[in-house]
Amino acid sequence: MHPRRPEGFDGLGYRGGVRDDPAFGGPFHARAFGSGTELGHWVTTPPDIPGSRNLHWGEKSPSYGVPSAPPTLEGPAEEPFPGGGGGDGPRPGPSSEQLNRFAGFGIGLASLFTENVLAHPCIVLRRQCQVNYHARHYHLTPFSIINIMYSFNKTQGPRALWKGMGSTFIVQGVTLGAEGIISEFTPLPREVSHKWNPKQIGEHLLLKCLTYMVAMPFYSASLIETVQSEIIRDNTGILECVKEGIGRVIGLGVPHSKRLLPLFSLIFPTVLHGVLHYVISSIIQKIVLLILKRKTYNSHLAESTSPMQNMLDAYFPELIANFAASLCSDVILYPLETVLHRLHIQGTRTIIDNTDLGYEVLPINTQYEGMRDCINTIKQEEGVFGFYKGFGAVIIQYTLHATILQITKIIYSTLLQNSI
């Protein structure tokens, strides 16, 4: 019960990143100016404005193509700002800066695309294995998952692997919207400052709890869409998730069996999973960022970094921290997620694919009385590894994500080498 992309670094007090901290050699570090003078005595115009350079207070930026008289300074002469150039000389700065910004946007977009689109087949298989209590094959390794993916694609087509993707975006939108609205009309903080205290942390986590409660019925509807077999699936609209979620709250819509658990019984496991996932992600993010910042700082002290490495250090630490946080939280909470999905799917008359054969369908006929009964039943009938059914999909998902990050880093490094 969480957005796929774990949230930023606001959860436990982290704000900003390596690129904004001059102490760790971000792209706006004072070394880029090539001067030993204090920056407080200068006004810096944006680097993407032609002819811009560092000025005294009150002076104006010279027009493009018109050389200006150099300012008189005591001490060492100042080198022109890399984004400037002025006059008729070469101006490599603007193109390099634009490339830097474009590459940063592209890296973030590639990460989002991987998390929400390329990884969706892994999410579908993972959830189907988790709710399939009939399954004899647990698919703990990526090899069996790849085989079953091929079987589903062969028998049902590519749609079987990308079903319910629109509903996952709707759940993310509902979660973000609910959090914003609740924080707007209540004193609950959306972010936690550096000077946090236990009360502020408690109020922030309370906001998260209320958000997960609001999004819970839509999460149930999205879960059904991702595990329902394409063999018996009707062509539903993209807003079917919203319709089913509202119907679940008011008790209308598609009929359910008597084994359906009331939403009140699902609040505790849903909120527990969401809050734990958020807390673990925030802690891992902060730890990874601190390690990467220290490593970057030590490398700058050794004077062994290049401008290209400085630009890489501006973007990749955040992406690596997000990747590590999401991976650790998913692995740690995988058993709880299995229990949560089985409770949400019970009594909804959902027909899933047979994950043992790759064809045929199976009904969901569980009769769990609650979270504790679900845990005990899985442990007795399926063993400890029953909580990890479909874990091979997690391995594929994050291997794919790491590969995409590495590819984008190589492409970005190549573009920067050609522009420097």
Side-chain angles (χ1 to χ4, degrees):
M1 209 20 269
H2 55 276
R4 289 302 312 161
R5 181 170 179 89
E7 302 187 12
F9 318 115
D10 308 324
L12 295 180
Y14 178 78
R15 294 290 294 163
V18 177
R19 61 168 174 258
D20 296 325
D21 194 348
F24 299 101
F28 300 104
H29 193 270
R31 293 178 184 174
F33 293 87
S35 173
T37 58
E38 294 292 335
L39 296 182
H41 301 292
W42 297 91
V43 178
T44 304
T45 51
D48 54 345
I49 298 178
S52 64
R53 60 173 71 239
N54 300 327
L55 305 174
H56 281 297
W57 290 103
E59 294 187 3
K60 298 181 179 179
S61 178
S63 303
Y64 177 76
V66 180
S68 58
T72 303
L73 294 176
E74 296 181 2
E78 172 142 0
E79 297 175 4
F81 183 71
D88 299 324
R91 298 181 308 277
S95 60
S96 178
E97 179 68 19
Q98 292 173 2
L99 175 62
N100 188 25
R101 293 176 180 177
F102 176 76
F105 172 77
I107 292 169
L109 186 62
S111 180
L112 288 174
F113 180 77
T114 304
E115 290 180 9
N116 296 281
V117 180
L118 291 183
H120 191 75
C122 299
I123 297 174
V124 170
L125 264 296
R126 161 182 172 179
R127 292 180 173 182
Q128 282 193 321
C129 293
Q130 285 176 322
V131 301
N132 187 3
Y133 67 97
H134 299 284
R136 300 299 179 187
H137 300 288
Y138 288 7
H139 300 294
L140 302 177
T141 64
F143 306 105
S144 60
I145 284 290
I146 292 176
N147 185 38
I148 206 68
M149 280 185 177
Y150 174 77
S151 299
F152 285 156
N153 182 74
K154 184 178 180 180
T155 57
Q156 304 179 37
R159 289 185 58 183
L161 299 178
W162 269 273
K163 57 189 176 184
M165 186 172 64
S167 66
T168 58
F169 287 110
I170 291 177
V171 173
Q172 292 183 28
V174 170
T175 303
L176 294 175
E179 182 177 350
I181 294 174
I182 295 174
S183 64
E184 186 71 22
F185 292 96
T186 62
L188 303 178
R190 238 184 133 174
E191 301 176 355
V192 179
S193 62
H194 289 288
K195 299 179 180 180
W196 58 269
N197 54 64
K199 180 182 178 182
Q200 190 178 31
I201 292 291
E203 291 177 345
H204 181 66
L205 293 181
L206 177 58
L207 173 64
K208 293 295 179 181
C209 293
L210 296 176
T211 301
Y212 297 138
M213 290 173 59
V214 172
M216 180 175 61
F218 306 100
Y219 182 79
S220 293
S222 174
L223 175 63
I224 294 173
E225 287 192 19
T226 54
V227 301
Q228 181 90 343
S229 176
E230 282 289 319
I231 297 177
I232 52 92
R233 180 187 178 90
D234 297 329
N235 291 327
T236 57
I238 191 172
L239 296 179
E240 190 69 20
C241 173
V242 179
K243 177 182 175 182
E244 290 292 329
I246 297 175
R248 183 77 181 269
V249 174
I250 63 178
L252 298 177
V254 178
H256 302 105
S257 69
K258 295 181 180 180
R259 293 174 285 105
L260 180 70
L261 294 173
L263 288 178
F264 181 79
S265 301
L266 299 175
I267 290 178
F268 177 73
T270 302
V271 172
L272 177 65
H273 177 266
V275 171
L276 287 178
H277 194 283
Y278 174 72
V279 171
I280 293 174
S281 297
S282 300
I283 293 175
I284 297 298
Q285 281 177 347
K286 188 170 184 179
I287 292 175
V288 173
L289 278 170
L290 288 176
I291 294 174
L292 294 177
K293 287 172 68 175
R294 177 177 290 275
K295 180 180 178 182
T296 304
Y297 178 68
N298 293 335
S299 63
H300 278 279
L301 289 179
E303 299 291 343
S304 59
T305 56
S306 62
M308 180 190 70
Q309 186 62 40
N310 288 339
M311 294 181 182
L312 291 176
D313 291 339
Y315 294 104
F316 278 95
E318 294 180 7
L319 296 178
I320 295 174
N322 285 340
F323 171 83
S326 182
L327 173 61
C328 292
S329 55
D330 278 356
V331 171
I332 294 173
L333 298 177
Y334 196 88
L336 179 58
E337 185 182 73
T338 299
V339 174
L340 176 66
H341 287 168
R342 293 199 182 187
L343 295 177
H344 272 277
I345 208 71
Q346 177 174 299
T348 58
R349 296 186 178 180
T350 302
I351 306 296
I352 66 172
D353 295 303
N354 189 331
T355 56
D356 286 338
L357 303 177
Y359 57 89
E360 297 181 353
V361 294
L362 296 170
I364 299 296
N365 296 320
T366 56
Q367 296 182 358
Y368 305 122
E369 297 179 359
M371 181 177 176
R372 179 179 298 179
D373 181 53
C374 182
I375 294 174
N376 293 333
T377 304
I378 293 176
K379 187 176 180 180
Q380 293 174 4
E381 298 182 358
E382 303 169 56
V384 176
F385 289 108
F387 294 98
Y388 292 91
K389 283 186 174 180
F391 189 78
V394 176
I395 300 176
I396 296 177
Q397 176 182 344
Y398 286 99
T399 300
L400 178 64
H401 193 180
T403 302
I404 296 297
L405 284 179
Q406 187 63 29
I407 292 175
T408 54
K409 184 175 183 179
I410 294 174
I411 296 175
Y412 186 30
S413 301
T414 303
L415 291 175
L416 287 176
Q417 286 179 344
N418 293 334
S419 63
I420 294 177

